[in-house]
Amino acid sequence: MKHAGKLLLPHDITPEDLSHYTPVPSIIKRRFGYQCKRCGNSQSHLFGHMPHDACQKTCRYCRNCIQMGRVMECEPLYQGSTSFKWPSFEQPLQWKGELTPWQQTGADAIKDVVISGGEVLIWAVCGAGKTEMLFPGIEAALQHGKRICLATPRADVVRELLPRLRSAFPDVPIQGLYGGSPDREADASFIIATTHQLLRFSKAFDVMIIDEIDAFPFHHDDSLKFAAQRAKKDNASSIYLTATPRKWEKWRVRTKKLPAVFIPKRFHGHPLPEPKLQLIPSLPRNLKRKQLPASVLSKILDQQNSERQLMVFLPSVAMTEWVLELLREEGLAGQCVFAEDSDRVDKVQAFRDKKFRLMLTTTILERGVTFPSVDVFVIDAGHVVFDEAALVQIAGRAGRSPDDPDGDVRFFHGGKTNAMLDAVEAISRMNKLGKR
Amino acid sequence: MRCYICFNEIIPTITWVNVFKPPEQQRCCADCLAQFEPVTPTCPKCGRGDSDGICFDCERWGMGQEDPLKKNVASFSYNAFAKDWVAKWKYRGDYELLFSLQGKLDVPVGYAMVPIPLSEERLKERGFNQSEAIIHMLGKQPVSLLGRQGTTKQSKKQRQERVDSENPFQLLDPINQPVLLVDDIYTTGTTLRHAASLLKEGGCPEVYSYTLFR
């Protein structure tokens, strides 16, 4: 059980356990160059050479996945057993909520795929209630004694999902794996992990659910896609969840290579707030001089007199800092949140508890976080970091609660970009589909 | 050409020299290099950058006994970027990362370069000796004069424990010319002073040391 489906380095294994593993080659020669069998890297500049003391010659190693320990050509990788029989549960689901008709269609599609294998893309708008949609499928998998992995690109999301799933499946051991997580063993039949952790698994899961397939870093990093592919068994079911599929997935859906289910309606049944584009021709000049245009400032001040809280998205960390300074001079109490911020988790919680009314952030909070009642402004929406997916996700932060299903979404820009137009179009198309 | 640290492509500026000659091999991009902070030594002894004359740590070393180490020279300060770099290079074992600093270091010349030995166990785990790696990167041959018994990592100990710790090294060959000990980081200087005192006892006239970070 402890060894099932693992793919480990020699020094991760104690000598007593070695008999449970089969050695497999670590770096193989291909027609052009080499490939690391753990992360799939085959780019020559991501391989290093070092004089290896153990074999007294120069050995090749992979520099791409070195954060998870060094893979050397001269040492094999160890593959744990792939045929372990996982326990089945009779009534694992204790969740008492009810799915909306829209959620039910998604849930049925997931359940079918879990039972009969294959893959499906669940294309659901932000706030459609994707997690609840998974419950019947996960229940079916646990009843059939299948091992499940729910992979997501961000550790924050793992931390948020873990308590929700533990309370829905109270009798099932569920482990959450991310860099620095308290669970380390990874021997449960239901695992929630960041996509990086999948590098440690091979042929492990019967059901692979990948949340937010379009998100950074999964979308950017081919080795994570390789790992996700390798971590599942040969006849496994794959379920992909996203609100904003990328070109490649859209193309596969259009050409009927990937079955997809659209869920264009939020769980509370109200349409998505549509973004308003506001042109400020002087914006690039103002930002260069570290000024905030008067119209933006007055909009923020007006907004702060209303009931809702405000999230302002900015393209860079440096910018959040000076904009925050400017707003503080205007007498607004706010906080800024970015990736390297050590008390990010606390600040987000404080904002959720309404301790402060204004939050400046980068694209780090574009997805996976829910605040009941917010307005959303994007300053310099034409910046390259705001691509279509990011803008749709940002717009999706507003109006998530049934008590306040609307919100003011405003993109301040110095000139329209395709990303902005595509995002507005995607949202209005979803709303149109949802009306039917 | 790729940066060894961030893997971004390095595009050399076109000059008359590399119109006719292939450009010089670069291993570290300007952005990464700028994050290493060169130290300007204020303590003439250990090379730290925040003291007034001989620093307190050097003064209290041994309390009255003669200091076996004549002088330490360091290239960069051990800032957050350097910490990440060392963690990846030494603890993760990314040997080639070291070569990102090739040609960027100012090392005293004309001495026998002696590496700090690593215990068997650690060597097996890491696969290479970090001070030998530095000497190889500098294009010199290491002169191995020392052996080692102890196994505990210095980086896991507090200052007092380090200063009081027993000498983990033994001298294998005596030498009678000036020596430059090479290591990666100078923290309290205990490791280097332990090695230096043995070399001195074996008849070495002067012991200097060079570390990448201080």
Side-chain angles (χ1 to χ4, degrees):
Chain A
M1 185 159 157
K2 198 174 130 197
H3 315 294
K6 297 278 179 65
L7 185 71
L8 298 176
L9 295 171
H11 64 253
D12 292 335
I13 309 170
T14 53
E16 307 88 74
D17 286 346
L18 207 61
S19 59
H20 297 281
Y21 291 87
T22 23
V24 291
S26 52
I27 295 178
I28 57 161
K29 174 106 179 75
R30 299 212 301 189
R31 193 184 300 164
F32 299 104
Y34 292 82
Q35 189 187 28
C36 167
K37 293 307 276 181
R38 183 167 70 168
C39 68
N41 155 42
S42 57
Q43 283 170 287
S44 63
H45 73 268
L46 292 176
F47 285 107
H49 302 266
M50 61 173 254
H52 193 199
D53 199 74
C55 17
Q56 293 295 322
K57 56 178 192 228
T58 304
C59 294
R60 186 174 283 105
Y61 69 94
C62 177
R63 298 191 66 203
N64 189 44
C65 56
I66 200 152
Q67 285 302 343
M68 309 282 282
R70 187 175 58 203
V71 176
M72 305 227 32
E73 196 182 10
C74 56
E75 296 167 347
L77 289 170
Y78 287 92
Q79 160 87 64
S81 139
T82 57
S83 54
F84 185 81
K85 190 83 193 73
W86 292 94
S88 51
F89 297 85
E90 264 178 30
Q91 268 302 332
L93 185 62
Q94 302 292 326
W95 182 65
K96 291 285 174 280
E98 217 168 286
L99 296 173
T100 65
W102 287 105
Q103 283 177 314
Q104 195 61 50
T105 43
D108 291 344
I110 293 170
K111 202 168 164 180
D112 282 351
V113 168
V114 165
I115 293 168
S116 56
E119 44 179 11
V120 69
L121 173 78
I122 305 294
W123 184 345
V125 291
C126 310
K130 281 182 287 234
T131 316
E132 287 78 20
M133 238 182 276
L134 290 170
F135 288 168
I138 294 172
E139 185 188 24
L142 290 168
Q143 281 166 346
H144 285 80
K146 292 184 178 209
R147 196 181 192 193
I148 311 158
C149 177
L150 173 53
T152 159
R154 294 190 180 174
D156 292 341
V157 181
V158 178
R159 277 192 288 261
E160 200 189 296
L161 286 178
L162 205 54
R164 282 169 73 185
L165 287 160
R166 277 189 179 145
S167 66
F169 299 93
D171 305 327
V172 183
I174 305 177
Q175 286 170 338
L177 304 179
Y178 46 91
S181 63
D183 293 325
R184 301 223 75 114
E185 281 296 323
D187 53 2
S189 59
F190 186 8
I191 282 176
I192 307 174
T194 55
T195 42
H196 276 101
Q197 299 295 322
L198 297 178
L199 286 171
R200 292 192 215 274
F201 293 95
S202 168
K203 298 196 172 64
F205 301 106
D206 302 287
V207 178
M208 174 69 80
I209 305 166
I210 302 177
D211 194 11
E212 311 272 17
I213 42 163
D214 60 300
F216 178 83
F218 189 74
H219 156 69
H220 274 268
D221 195 340
D222 287 336
S223 65
L224 296 179
K225 289 178 190 146
F226 177 89
Q229 204 54 244
R230 197 216 27 234
K232 56 191 191 194
K233 288 185 184 163
D234 295 336
N235 48 2
S237 334
S238 319
I239 295 142
Y240 309 116
L241 305 175
T242 179
T244 45
R246 302 275 171 177
K247 257 192 195 136
W248 166 242
E249 282 86 26
K250 280 186 188 161
W251 181 80
R252 286 186 68 204
V253 170
R254 230 181 5 252
T255 53
K256 305 238 168 11
K257 288 188 169 65
L258 177 66
V261 179
F262 292 91
I263 297 157
K265 203 141 197 160
R266 294 186 144 184
F267 76 96
H268 53 54
H270 294 275
L272 294 155
E274 287 188 27
K276 298 176 194 74
L277 304 187
Q278 189 167 341
L279 173 72
I280 301 166
S282 65
L283 190 71
R285 192 162 22 115
N286 285 333
L287 295 183
K288 207 182 264 172
R289 294 181 192 158
K290 303 207 170 183
Q291 295 164 342
L292 217 48
S295 49
V296 176
L297 196 60
S298 67
K299 256 279 166 289
I300 293 176
L301 290 169
D302 280 354
Q303 196 284 336
Q304 287 292 295
N305 290 324
S306 74
E307 285 284 293
R308 296 195 189 112
Q309 288 172 292
L310 176 65
M311 287 176 90
V312 181
F313 287 84
L314 298 153
S316 69
V317 177
M319 207 171 140
T320 58
E321 276 159 3
W322 68 255
V323 173
L324 186 67
E325 272 308 295
L326 275 179
L327 292 176
R328 283 205 173 137
E329 280 167 26
E330 294 294 325
L332 294 174
Q335 293 282 349
C336 59
V337 174
F338 44 87
E340 287 85 27
D341 197 341
S342 51
D343 31 81
R344 187 172 97 208
V345 182
D346 297 338
K347 279 186 187 169
V348 170
Q349 192 53 46
F351 189 65
R352 201 169 282 150
D353 299 341
K354 310 215 162 143
K355 297 246 171 68
F356 54 97
R357 298 183 35 84
L358 170 69
M359 178 152 74
L360 302 180
T361 182
T362 60
T363 50
I364 182 75
L365 289 186
E366 78 182 29
R367 57 180 86 218
V369 289
T370 303
F371 304 107
S373 173
V374 286
D375 285 331
V376 179
F377 291 173
V378 182
I379 298 176
D380 198 13
H383 196 279
V384 281
V385 302
F386 297 118
D387 55 12
E388 182 202 332
L391 290 171
V392 172
Q393 292 283 359
I394 286 170
R397 296 308 101 201
R400 302 196 49 121
S401 132
D403 304 329
D404 182 20
D406 206 9
D408 187 15
V409 180
R410 227 166 252 278
F411 296 165
F412 296 101
H413 62 92
K416 279 180 201 164
T417 57
N418 285 337
M420 278 189 269
L421 296 175
D422 290 344
V424 174
E425 201 201 306
I427 291 171
S428 57
R429 198 177 54 236
M430 280 292 192
N431 280 341
K432 213 180 275 168
L433 283 171
K435 256 183 213 147
R436 280 205 230 135
Chain B
M1 263 189 308
R2 298 256 178 185
C3 173
Y4 274 32
I5 302 175
C6 65
F7 299 125
N8 284 336
E9 201 144 2
I10 304 170
I11 297 156
T13 45
I14 294 171
T15 60
W16 282 113
V17 176
N18 59 23
V19 162
F20 296 106
K21 222 171 76 176
E24 208 180 313
Q25 184 74 27
Q26 292 279 330
R27 294 196 171 87
C28 185
C29 67
D31 290 344
C32 287
L33 191 63
Q35 301 201 52
F36 286 112
E37 272 173 69
V39 279
T40 27
T42 48
C43 171
K45 194 125 204 168
C46 68
R48 76 192 289 161
D50 56 358
S51 69
D52 200 9
I54 286 196
C55 71
F56 180 58
D57 275 352
C58 288
E59 210 175 82
R60 69 174 161 175
W61 175 264
M63 288 296 167
Q65 292 169 36
E66 200 209 350
D67 192 341
L69 194 65
K70 191 113 189 194
K71 190 182 174 186
N72 178 64
V73 179
S75 285
F76 301 108
S77 82
Y78 194 44
N79 57 11
F81 185 76
K83 273 190 188 129
D84 287 346
W85 187 93
V86 170
K88 198 173 173 204
W89 168 58
K90 206 163 85 167
Y91 302 124
R92 299 281 170 205
D94 191 355
Y95 180 86
E96 246 179 32
L97 192 62
L98 175 64
F99 287 80
S100 56
L101 290 178
Q102 197 168 40
K104 312 275 194 277
L105 305 173
D106 204 5
V107 184
V109 286
Y111 302 95
M113 291 201 173
V114 177
I116 300 293
L118 211 57
S119 70
E120 281 287 310
E121 206 184 316
R122 195 81 56 226
L123 190 61
K124 210 177 146 213
E125 184 186 305
R126 201 170 286 166
F128 63 89
N129 174 327
Q130 78 273 6
S131 26
E132 273 176 35
I134 297 171
I135 299 172
H136 281 302
M137 182 264 285
L138 296 169
K140 301 276 169 27
Q141 265 314 309
V143 187
S144 299
L145 301 176
L146 301 164
R148 178 176 202 144
Q149 313 111 337
T151 50
T152 8
K153 278 184 186 167
Q154 285 289 72
S155 58
K156 294 266 184 299
K157 295 187 208 156
Q158 295 297 313
R159 181 174 196 283
Q160 203 52 46
E161 284 178 74
R162 293 187 191 198
V163 173
D164 295 341
S165 60
E166 237 175 80
N167 197 331
F169 305 113
Q170 74 244 59
L171 190 66
L172 303 177
D173 288 306
I175 190 169
N176 54 11
Q177 67 183 89
V179 152
L180 182 71
L181 283 166
V182 177
D183 203 1
D184 51 351
I185 312 162
Y186 182 109
T187 315
T188 57
T190 312
T191 314
L192 291 166
R193 281 177 172 115
H194 277 318
S197 65
L198 277 178
L199 290 168
K200 278 261 185 161
E201 280 166 31
C204 173
E206 274 164 342
V207 183
Y208 299 87
S209 67
Y210 171 77
T211 58
L212 293 178
F213 302 105
R214 172 68 180 95

